Amino acid sequence: MIAYDLQCSNGHQFEGWFEDSRSFDRQKKQGMIACPVCEDTVILKVPSMFAIKGSSGTLPLNAAATADMAALGKKIVDYVQKNFDNVGADFAEEALKMHYGVSEPRSIRGVSTPKEEETLKAEGINFFKIPVPSDPDAS
């Protein structure tokens, strides 16, 4: 696996993970890589920020990058809230039901305890967590 810092022709920066450099080149040539903010497919590799050390040891994000990240975060939260069934505290139970064919597969969202997450992982159920603001309309 290789990770590249990428930028679209509109200046939005994001990260892409590829099997190897040939995979990146092939996907770029086929127009398969798109900006998650504006869906532009004119993509360039940019120097990685972690490889550049400033005098303080870190590089501050510029205002545009911070705004882009906030906009992308809001887009993700909005998408999940509109397109995933909210099963609340029954997340682990519903995920297990779908995994074992008791209920139809669908996109769900909700909350789970660390113990429930351990169970899901042990059962081979893939899931991911995204931070959601306490008041989604506040952002």
Side-chain angles (χ1 to χ4, degrees):
M1 256 330 173
I2 189 166
Y4 289 125
D5 287 336
L6 306 173
Q7 182 173 319
C8 74
S9 64
N10 294 313
H12 302 121
Q13 292 190 359
F14 57 99
E15 184 176 84
W17 289 71
F18 303 91
E19 186 174 333
D20 53 32
S21 62
R22 288 191 321 252
S23 293
F24 168 79
D25 293 338
R26 179 180 44 79
Q27 290 178 35
K28 180 182 175 193
K29 184 177 179 181
Q30 294 175 351
M32 295 172 63
I33 306 168
C35 173
V37 175
C38 66
E39 300 181 12
D40 182 16
T41 57
V42 178
I43 306 297
L44 301 171
K45 284 190 253 182
V46 295
S48 178
M49 295 297 276
F50 73 84
I52 303 170
K53 183 176 180 180
S55 60
S56 67
T58 61
L59 291 175
L61 292 174
N62 64 36
T66 302
D68 287 344
M69 288 187 338
L72 179 58
K74 182 160 179 27
K75 261 182 126 170
I76 291 169
V77 169
D78 289 346
Y79 181 85
V80 169
Q81 289 178 335
K82 290 176 186 170
N83 296 288
F84 287 53
D85 291 338
N86 185 359
V87 295
D90 294 330
F91 178 82
E93 181 181 341
E94 290 297 317
L96 286 164
K97 285 180 182 177
M98 288 186 293
H99 182 70
Y100 288 108
V102 175
S103 64
E104 287 294 314
R106 66 191 194 283
S107 298
I108 62 172
R109 63 185 171 98
V111 296
S112 56
T113 66
K115 185 173 180 174
E116 290 171 328
E117 292 169 9
E118 286 178 27
T119 301
L120 294 175
K121 288 177 187 175
E123 294 294 321
I125 299 173
N126 293 322
F127 64 94
F128 63 93
K129 297 164 62 168
I130 58 171
V132 178
S134 56
D135 180 9
D137 297 325
S139 49

